[in-house]
Amino acid sequence: MTGSLAGLLLANVLYLVVGIALLPLLRIARTRAELASRLGLAYILGLAATGALAAHLALIGVPVGPLELFVLTLLVGVPAWRRGRRLPNHPSDTLSLGSNGVGLASRIVGIGCFLTALVLLAHAAHAYSVRPLLEWDGWAIWAMKARALYDFGGVAHGVFTTQPYGPLQHPLFLPALEATGFRSMGAFDGTLIHVQLALLGFGFAAALWTLLRERVPEALAGASILAIVAADSTLRQLAANLADIPLAFLVALGVVALGRTLLDENARLLPFAAVMLGAATLTKPEGLLFAAAALVPFVLIARTRASLLTAAAVVLILLPWRVYTAIHGLKNPEYSLGDALNPSFLADRSERVRPAFEGVWHQVWSSGWSWLVPLALVAFAAALLARCWRLAGFAAAWALLSFGGIVLVFWISVVPVELTLRWAAYRTVASLVLGAAALAPLLAGEAWRHSALTSRVRRGSAAPQTGASEGANP
């Protein structure tokens, strides 16, 4: 077991190195100070990029193992090292924005909360390392596809194209990532592979901390991360080897990166957002829904060439999988998005709308998510009161489009609505809930910033008036 775990950890170290290399190559970090500040993005960036590449290579029968990971590390590491040597030394304009005058207490509280979240994830990793595959979907869908990729090196086997092995509509990001883990361990191990899921949680927490602390008080960033990690449904669903929480992590980071771009008014985080949302589309079919719900309002609000290129990059990341499914005629047996454009089909199934809406609404407010949704709504209200229109508008549009899209999926499904809600609703809302919770500190932080700025402006304008009145009355 020790040797197997060492191989898995080595693969994840290579993901980290790939991510560090991609930071300057994708111009996410443009100075040495910014590179150091954004190292927290590196692991999840490298994992998402490598996982997406492994999923694409599986379509042409090219397996990814330790040797391929090492070659990939060299291919991106050498040019990144050369670019890194030319990075300027001056401080980045994105640094030191998060404290916002709150002071040392905020930093202590924030770091304490963040470290507590990491301790929870470490405890989860220990528990996951001895937890076998139990849940049906965990072993019958995701682990089976990962085992097939590990055994056969690609998708040539009927596991990926014949109905007895369905559902066939799920993309291959998670199975390809786990197959790479099996090759790194030297054997299929359905228990130890759970550690990869815990490491994904570490990557999410580190990346979200990095994205938030540049813009919001550390206490707010750390408390939000702890709330997400400590929510019962987060680690419980992650342990089941299902794709919904990994999808939620990727979606949340992509959405926060887009929100940061609207605030910073520069495109440095857009490559990171594109990789996160692109990997999300390769994780589950619903990933396309959440990515589109984010990109459509973002493009309309930002109205820049970079926003269009980001959307195009996400489409290009998804394209190989869609070409594969078109060639092999793989369709979703539960629903077809084309039916959503058929008024007569929707009218014939109108009796499903109310139970679908109520079922999704109930799961969003489930106690398993703790206080994540109420806190997100409070942060949104604060942003509205502070007139942070662009960020609040983006957050509202993404949340409403995501919620509406989930309801629409249950509306057009051919599975009895009560059954599909019981099976899937509690998992499908994960991306919506975690994405909203990840945006909450950004919304609250901007509300705080605008309120503080408004107070300073009012005090500044009141001072001359007071001086003038005192001079007029000696």
Side-chain angles (χ1 to χ4, degrees):
M1 178 177 175
T2 302
S4 298
L5 181 60
L8 181 63
L9 294 178
L10 176 60
N12 281 270
V13 170
L14 294 178
Y15 296 151
L16 173 62
V17 176
V18 169
I20 294 174
L22 289 177
L23 289 175
L25 289 179
L26 296 179
R27 299 182 63 79
I28 298 170
R30 303 188 184 187
T31 68
R32 294 186 181 183
E34 197 170 45
L35 177 61
S37 174
R38 291 186 168 175
L39 285 177
L41 303 178
Y43 170 71
I44 197 73
L45 177 64
L47 181 145
T50 305
L53 177 63
H56 291 331
L57 291 177
L59 300 179
I60 57 175
V62 178
V64 175
L67 177 60
E68 291 78 12
L69 284 178
F70 182 73
V71 172
L72 176 63
T73 303
L74 289 179
L75 289 177
V76 297
V78 172
W81 178 74
R82 291 176 178 174
R83 181 183 287 271
R85 294 180 62 187
R86 298 194 299 269
L87 291 178
N89 287 314
H90 61 76
S92 169
D93 57 3
T94 63
L95 302 180
S96 303
L97 293 174
S99 60
N100 200 31
V102 175
L104 181 62
S106 172
R107 178 165 297 180
I108 293 174
V109 171
I111 293 176
C113 290
F114 177 62
L115 292 178
T116 303
L118 296 185
V119 170
L120 284 177
L121 288 168
H123 179 72
H126 176 71
Y128 289 3
S129 66
V130 294
R131 187 185 193 279
L133 290 166
L134 297 173
E135 288 75 10
W136 173 269
D137 285 3
W139 68 264
I141 298 178
W142 302 106
M144 181 183 67
K145 291 179 183 293
R147 176 67 182 265
L149 290 178
Y150 170 68
D151 287 340
F152 305 111
V155 296
H157 193 272
V159 168
F160 302 95
T161 55
T162 55
Q163 281 302 328
Y165 296 100
L168 305 174
Q169 72 272 15
H170 293 314
L172 299 179
F173 175 84
L174 183 60
L177 181 66
E178 293 188 344
T180 301
F182 295 143
R183 295 187 190 101
S184 300
M185 293 188 290
F188 173 84
D189 191 330
T191 297
L192 201 56
I193 197 61
H194 286 81
V195 175
Q196 180 66 75
L197 302 173
L199 293 175
L200 185 62
F202 278 105
F204 166 75
L208 187 57
W209 169 260
T210 303
L211 289 172
L212 293 177
R213 71 178 177 83
E214 291 180 353
R215 196 77 201 191
V216 307
E218 286 93 337
L220 198 54
S224 300
I225 294 169
L226 177 59
I228 292 173
V229 172
D232 179 68
S233 291
T234 302
L235 294 181
R236 186 182 298 276
Q237 290 191 33
L238 186 63
N241 195 45
L242 305 176
D244 301 275
I245 296 298
L247 171 64
F249 287 162
L250 295 170
V251 168
L253 293 175
V255 170
V256 172
L258 293 181
R260 276 289 311 273
T261 300
L262 291 175
L263 295 175
D264 299 344
E265 297 185 351
N266 67 59
R268 296 183 186 181
L269 286 172
L270 287 183
F272 178 80
V275 174
M276 294 300 106
L277 294 178
T281 65
L282 294 176
T283 304
K284 288 195 73 177
E286 294 87 347
L288 178 58
L289 162 65
F290 296 115
L295 290 169
V296 170
F298 174 75
V299 169
L300 293 176
I301 294 172
R303 291 183 292 180
T304 62
R305 180 173 176 267
S307 65
L308 291 172
L309 292 176
T310 302
V314 174
V315 172
L316 289 176
I317 292 173
L318 175 63
L319 185 60
W321 170 251
R322 298 311 294 260
V323 171
Y324 174 80
T325 58
I327 292 175
H328 292 274
L330 305 182
K331 297 181 180 180
N332 191 331
E334 298 179 5
Y335 64 88
S336 172
L337 290 178
D339 292 332
L341 304 177
N342 187 338
S344 61
F345 180 87
L346 295 176
D348 291 341
R349 308 178 70 78
S350 59
E351 74 281 356
R352 296 173 63 96
V353 176
R354 180 173 179 177
F357 180 91
E358 292 177 348
V360 174
W361 182 262
H362 171 74
Q363 291 301 332
V364 166
W365 288 92
S366 167
S367 60
W369 300 117
S370 187
W371 290 91
L372 296 185
V373 175
L375 293 176
L377 289 177
V378 170
F380 175 71
L384 284 181
L385 291 174
R387 299 183 179 182
C388 305
W389 303 124
R390 281 161 60 90
L391 181 62
F394 168 71
W398 174 77
L400 291 174
L401 288 173
S402 296
F403 183 87
I406 296 171
V407 172
L408 180 63
V409 166
F410 289 114
W411 181 1
I412 64 177
S413 174
V414 299
V415 181
V417 65
E418 294 82 6
L419 189 59
T420 188
L421 285 170
R422 187 180 304 114
W423 281 350
Y426 75 97
R427 295 182 283 109
T428 307
V429 301
S431 293
L432 173 59
V433 174
L434 296 194
L439 278 172
L442 206 58
L443 290 162
E446 286 309 298
W448 175 283
R449 187 187 306 277
H450 279 249
S451 299
L453 180 61
T454 301
S455 298
R456 286 196 296 267
V457 170
R458 288 176 178 173
R459 287 196 301 267
S461 61
Q465 295 177 7
T466 302
S469 63
E470 290 175 350
N473 296 281

